[in-house]
Amino acid sequence: MVVSVMLLVLISLLAVAMTGLASIELRRSGSADHLTTARDNARLALMQALAQLQKTAGPDQRITAGAELLAKDETEAKTFANPHWTGVWRSTQADGTSFFTRNDTAGGLSDLRYAVRNAVEPEFLGWMVSVGEDTTKLSKDAAKEPLTDAAIDLGQDEQGRKVMAPSVAMKDASNQPSGHYAWWAGDLGVRANVATRDAWEAQAQSEPQKWWRVMASQKAETEQMNGGVKLADEDVARLASGQTMALTAAGKQWAENHVFNVTVDSQGVLADAANGGLKRDLTAFLSDGDGQIAAKGALA
């Protein structure tokens, strides 16, 4: 009798333990499913961002700029709800022809965008933020006003202005809600590369190298920025990513305040935004002392 009772107790304990284990596994399985869904949504957001970037900003004859470009002055720019949105404009007219016309008798080149005020305006192609399938949903003035639909906070600048991106709802095969995604693409072209070093600094006192330094900016002067700091050369040489800025004399707070102002890595293509293709290399002509301009084909 006693043995039977002990066996029943043991079986009951085993049943409770197995039930608990099954519950834990179910919860783990559910968490794994949610994690997989979140990763799939994030992957889709990345694909959408790359596709929109290639579609709008891929051709050579495109111009990108921050939303603050639309402001009349600095005061108005501070009122923009989404100043860090990146916009894309066509650098030519809709039919692909240039805005510039040549008339030597009237002074040379004439810009149709200014020859007749407001008669011709560069075509706005869109903002580099998530808008779902309807890429025309956000107008050119959308960056000025707060988003009325669901949005996701992607960070803020030193003035507390947040980067908000529209939230796109997802549904599964049974048309049930399956999370959200949002994306935003920034423009490194409007950020100072603080990892750039002055190649001529050591030759500053010799001729003619000392004049080369003043022909163009050789590096980003972090001392001139808000809360300016001086970065040591050894720190600049070790800047591998934006996060490593916090390990320099700038500190973590300065790096966070200027996250939309500086970068440590920027690359570009010397594209001719007016005519398409690559820009012409004038090095050989500028180095030639006879002042003769070579044929156009020789400058390619």
Side-chain angles (χ1 to χ4, degrees), residues 155-177:
Q156 64 181 29
D157 61 13
E158 60 181 331
Q159 300 177 23
R161 298 179 300 181
K162 295 183 177 181
V163 177
M164 306 295 292
S167 174
V168 181
M170 298 293 296
K171 293 185 178 181
D172 58 20
S174 58
N175 203 32
Q176 297 299 313

Side-chain angles (χ1 to χ4, degrees), residues 158-226:
E158 60 181 331
Q159 300 177 23
R161 298 179 300 181
K162 295 183 177 181
V163 177
M164 306 295 292
S167 174
V168 181
M170 298 293 296
K171 293 185 178 181
D172 58 20
S174 58
N175 203 32
Q176 297 299 313
S178 180
H180 299 75
Y181 75 82
W183 62 266
W184 161 84
D187 188 353
L188 290 181
V190 299
R191 302 185 190 185
N193 190 338
V194 296
T196 302
R197 307 176 70 180
D198 187 352
W200 308 107
E201 188 171 10
Q203 308 176 39
Q205 303 304 319
S206 61
E207 294 281 358
Q209 286 87 349
K210 70 177 183 179
W211 298 110
W212 294 352
R213 297 184 70 204
V214 299
M215 294 176 66
S217 176
Q218 301 298 317
K219 64 178 183 179
E221 297 290 349
T222 53
E223 300 96 314
Q224 304 302 319
M225 300 180 183
N226 292 339

Side-chain angles (χ1 to χ4, degrees), residues 114-188:
Y114 302 100
V116 180
R117 185 174 296 274
N118 298 327
V120 181
E121 183 176 328
E123 181 183 356
F124 175 72
L125 299 177
W127 296 109
M128 293 292 95
V129 293
S130 48
V131 292
E133 296 181 358
D134 184 8
T135 57
T136 64
K137 181 179 179 181
L138 298 177
S139 67
K140 185 172 67 174
D141 294 329
K144 300 179 181 179
E145 304 296 335
L147 293 172
T148 56
D149 298 330
I152 296 179
D153 183 358
L154 300 176
Q156 64 181 29
D157 61 13
E158 60 181 331
Q159 300 177 23
R161 298 179 300 181
K162 295 183 177 181
V163 177
M164 306 295 292
S167 174
V168 181
M170 298 293 296
K171 293 185 178 181
D172 58 20
S174 58
N175 203 32
Q176 297 299 313
S178 180
H180 299 75
Y181 75 82
W183 62 266
W184 161 84
D187 188 353
L188 290 181

Side-chain angles (χ1 to χ4, degrees), residues 16-155:
V16 171
M18 294 300 295
T19 302
L21 181 60
S23 299
I24 293 174
E25 288 299 322
L26 286 174
R27 286 196 294 268
R28 288 182 56 186
S29 176
S31 299
D33 290 342
H34 292 315
L35 180 59
T36 300
T37 299
R39 287 175 174 172
D40 289 342
N41 290 347
R43 188 179 298 108
L44 177 61
L46 178 60
M47 295 172 61
Q48 291 276 2
L50 291 175
Q52 185 70 357
L53 186 64
Q54 292 174 340
K55 176 183 177 181
T56 56
D60 294 330
Q61 294 166 309
R62 297 291 185 268
I63 302 294
T64 60
E68 292 177 311
L69 179 70
L70 301 177
K72 297 178 181 179
D73 50 41
E74 185 177 355
T75 301
E76 183 182 8
K78 291 181 179 179
T79 66
F80 278 25
N82 301 287
H84 298 296
W85 280 7
T86 301
V88 182
W89 284 262
R90 189 190 301 273
S91 64
T92 62
Q93 299 186 66
D95 60 359
T97 58
S98 174
F99 286 110
F100 297 96
T101 59
R102 178 174 294 279
N103 188 338
D104 294 335
T105 61
L109 290 176
S110 177
D111 190 340
L112 296 178
R113 293 168 292 185
Y114 302 100
V116 180
R117 185 174 296 274
N118 298 327
V120 181
E121 183 176 328
E123 181 183 356
F124 175 72
L125 299 177
W127 296 109
M128 293 292 95
V129 293
S130 48
V131 292
E133 296 181 358
D134 184 8
T135 57
T136 64
K137 181 179 179 181
L138 298 177
S139 67
K140 185 172 67 174
D141 294 329
K144 300 179 181 179
E145 304 296 335
L147 293 172
T148 56
D149 298 330
I152 296 179
D153 183 358
L154 300 176

